[in-house]
């Protein structure tokens, strides 16, 4: 038998006399196994096996209501009877009811505490400010409600006065037709405006996409610039000089270069440890250019002449080569990364400020 209703039927059908319904237990909480309890004995604390009669009382004492002390926190205090209000008047809304459930729960918990920390005091003041603000908004809404009702009544009265007479009812179908045409015109206009907005949005998105110079459709010839008056240097040397000046203006503060080839030596002494002066700079510069793969025309000139005696074209070419090498140094790369990061932060702050101004 699997249930309390089928067990008596089974017993009566099979004519079982010794077993009755009382011998079956259908409780899912039936005690199974042996139960032990720690007790004080003359020999000390020992575990004693409980008898079948003692087991239910012990289980009830542990899990039931009899042995469990009453929870003072969960015990709900009796609320005083609500005061009778006048007929037709709306019930007074409590300030706490204006708050959300989480805020109300937090306020109740903070008020129950005897000692509050600075953080708790700040939370309580914020909640109370929110409560007062909501109460003011509710009062304003309640004050506006009668005015709105009066305005509705007046509008209804005007509509009743402005209704046409029975004789003019025949002209109404024509008016309805005209209104239907107007509605369709408005719908078409709204659809056209929406399509125009989409088209403008697509154009803006396409304009924002970066485009290669060679892919532009409106190529124009470069203007013919006249030569700078008083310029003696060749064009190549002048462009190298401009490169050096621009580099010094951009990275003059962080200028520094740690040579990667420390093994380079002159007469058994490392190049990085030789002091630079007017006499040594030309030879150290020549060794540096050779180590970093400069052209032979740059290196050969320094074999017989010092750097100061070289022609302007050679000087500008050597300085441009040094600038290109410095551009790949760790200090300059770090400075470029910092500048790019600062620019992205400036753009982000600009978008945030513009968004706030639009609100």
């Amino acid at each position: 038998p699997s249930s309390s209703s089928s067990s008596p039927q089974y017993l009566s059908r099979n004519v079982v006399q010794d077993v009755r319904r009382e011998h079956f237990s259908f409780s899912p909480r039936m005690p199974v196994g042996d139960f032990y309890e720690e007790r004080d004995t003359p020999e000390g604390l020992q575990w004693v096996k409980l008898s079948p009669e003692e087991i239910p009382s012990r289980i009830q004492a542990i899990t039931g209501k009899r042995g469990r002390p009453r929870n003072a926190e969960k015990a709900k205090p009796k609320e005083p009877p609500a005061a009778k209000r006048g007929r037709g008047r709306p019930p007074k809304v409590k300030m706490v009811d204006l708050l959300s459930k989480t805020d109300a729960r937090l306020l109740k918990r903070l008020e129950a505490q005897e000692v509050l920390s600075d953080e708790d005091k700040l939370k309580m003041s914020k909640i109370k400010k929110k409560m007062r603000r909501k109460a003011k908004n509710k009062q304003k809404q309640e004050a506006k409600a009668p005015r709105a009702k009066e305005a509705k009544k007046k509008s209804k009265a005007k509509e009743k006065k402005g209704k046409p007479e029975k004789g003019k009812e025949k002209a109404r179908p024509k008016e309805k037709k005209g209104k239907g045409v107007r509605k369709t015109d408005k719908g078409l206009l709204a659809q056209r405006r929406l399509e125009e907005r989409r088209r403008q949005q697509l154009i803006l998105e396409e304009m924002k996409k970066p485009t290669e110079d060679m892919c532009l459709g409106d190529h124009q010839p470069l203007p013919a610039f006249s030569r700078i008056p008083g310029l003696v240097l060749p064009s190549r040397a002048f462009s190298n000089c401009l490169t050096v000046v621009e580099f010094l203006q951009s990275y003059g503060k962080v200028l520094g270069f740690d040579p990667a080839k420390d093994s380079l030596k002159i007469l058994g002494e490392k190049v990085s440890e030789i002091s630079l002066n007017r006499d040594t700079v030309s030879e150290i510069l020549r060794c540096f250019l050779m180590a970093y793969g400069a052209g032979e025309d740059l290196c050969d000139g320094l074999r017989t002449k010092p750097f100061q005696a070289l022609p302007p074209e050679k000087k500008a070419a050597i300085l441009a080569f040094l600038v290109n090498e410095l551009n790949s140094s760790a200090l300059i790369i770090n400075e470029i990364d910092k500048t790019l990061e600062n620019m992205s932060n400036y753009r982000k702050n600009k978008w945030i400020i513009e968004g706030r101004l639009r609100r």
Side-chain angles (χ1 to χ4, degrees):
S2 59
S3 66
S4 58
S5 60
S6 59
S7 56
Q9 295 173 7
Y10 178 81
L11 294 172
S12 61
R13 190 167 56 247
N14 292 286
V15 193
V16 180
Q17 300 295 334
D18 298 334
V19 182
R20 293 189 299 278
R21 188 187 180 282
E22 290 76 17
H23 291 90
F24 294 93
S25 173
F26 300 97
S27 173
R29 297 180 182 179
M30 182 178 177
V32 179
D34 297 331
F35 288 79
Y36 290 84
E37 185 180 34
E38 194 177 18
R39 290 181 185 173
D40 240 344
T41 62
E43 297 172 0
L45 286 170
Q46 286 187 357
W47 290 96
V48 180
K49 186 178 178 181
L50 296 175
S51 63
E53 292 80 17
E54 292 175 327
I55 290 169
S57 61
R58 294 292 189 279
I59 292 171
Q60 197 169 13
I62 294 166
T63 59
K65 292 182 180 178
R66 290 183 186 176
R68 185 181 293 173
R70 191 174 180 185
N71 193 345
E73 291 180 2
K74 289 187 179 179
K76 292 183 179 178
K78 290 184 179 179
E79 295 180 0
K84 290 183 179 179
R85 57 186 178 83
R87 195 174 180 183
R89 289 175 62 190
K92 288 185 178 180
V93 181
K94 292 180 182 178
M95 296 276 276
V96 183
D97 295 340
L98 297 171
L99 295 172
S100 62
K101 288 182 180 179
T102 51
D103 288 341
R105 214 176 293 132
L106 181 60
L107 182 63
K108 194 174 181 182
R109 184 171 61 78
L110 292 172
E111 286 176 346
Q113 292 179 7
E114 292 181 2
V115 182
L116 293 173
S117 63
D118 294 337
E119 191 178 351
D120 291 340
K121 285 177 183 176
L122 185 64
K123 285 179 183 176
M124 186 183 276
S125 65
K126 282 182 180 179
I127 291 168
K128 285 185 176 179
K129 279 180 185 176
K130 195 188 288 185
M131 191 164 59
R132 284 195 291 271
R133 189 169 64 248
K134 287 189 175 182
K136 283 180 183 177
N137 291 337
K138 191 164 184 67
Q139 285 175 1
K140 286 178 183 178
Q141 287 175 2
E142 287 174 356
K144 286 178 182 177
R147 293 177 190 170
K149 285 181 182 178
E150 287 177 8
K152 280 182 182 179
K153 285 179 183 178
K154 285 179 182 178
S155 63
K156 283 180 181 179
K158 284 179 181 178
E159 284 175 5
K160 285 179 182 178
K161 286 179 183 178
K163 279 184 180 179
E165 295 176 0
K166 290 181 181 179
K168 295 179 181 179
E169 286 179 359
K170 292 178 182 179
R172 281 181 184 175
K174 292 180 181 178
E175 289 176 6
K176 284 182 181 177
K177 285 180 183 178
K179 284 180 182 178
V181 173
R182 286 174 194 169
K183 282 182 181 178
T184 53
D185 291 343
K186 284 181 180 178
L188 287 169
L189 284 170
Q191 192 174 356
R192 284 173 188 168
R193 283 173 191 163
L194 187 63
E195 287 174 358
E196 183 65 23
R197 281 179 194 167
R198 285 176 185 166
R199 194 172 65 82
Q200 292 292 335
Q201 188 68 25
L202 286 170
I203 292 168
L204 284 171
E205 287 175 3
E206 287 294 326
M207 287 175 72
K208 284 178 182 177
K209 287 180 182 177
T211 310
E212 291 292 333
D213 293 341
M214 299 302 292
C215 297
L216 294 172
D218 54 347
H219 287 164
Q220 294 178 1
L222 291 172
F225 294 103
S226 58
R227 191 173 176 81
I228 297 171
L231 183 64
V232 180
L233 291 172
S235 58
R236 184 69 180 172
F238 184 64
S239 66
N240 288 334
C241 290
L242 289 178
T243 303
V244 174
V245 171
E246 185 182 4
F247 176 80
L248 290 172
Q249 284 182 348
S250 301
Y251 307 110
K253 291 180 181 178
V254 293
L255 188 60
F257 186 73
D258 187 13
K261 295 178 174 56
D262 288 336
S263 59
L264 185 64
K265 294 181 180 181
I266 299 174
L267 299 175
E269 192 174 356
K270 289 183 180 179
V271 171
S272 57
E273 294 175 358
I274 299 172
S275 60
L276 290 174
N277 53 46
R278 190 179 181 86
D279 300 325
T280 60
V281 67
S282 299
E283 184 59 22
I284 291 170
L285 188 59
R286 187 184 69 78
C287 294
F288 180 84
L289 293 173
M290 287 176 66
Y292 279 84
E296 290 184 4
D297 55 336
L298 296 179
C299 301
D300 290 341
L302 291 167
R303 287 181 187 276
T304 55
K305 294 179 182 179
F307 177 75
Q308 294 83 356
L310 291 175
E313 298 87 359
K314 285 275 181 73
K315 286 182 182 177
I318 290 169
L319 290 174
F321 181 82
L322 291 176
V323 165
N324 291 330
E325 289 298 323
L326 285 169
N327 275 325
S328 61
S329 67
L331 284 170
I332 301 300
I333 290 167
N334 289 337
E335 185 66 19
I336 292 168
D337 291 340
K338 283 179 188 175
T339 306
L340 291 173
E341 190 176 351
N342 290 335
M343 288 297 292
S344 66
N345 289 332
Y346 293 150
R347 285 196 195 98
K348 195 187 293 181
N349 294 334
K350 180 189 171 187
W351 293 334
I352 291 166
I353 292 164
E354 285 178 353
R356 286 175 184 170
L357 289 171
R358 282 185 197 127
R359 288 177 192 170

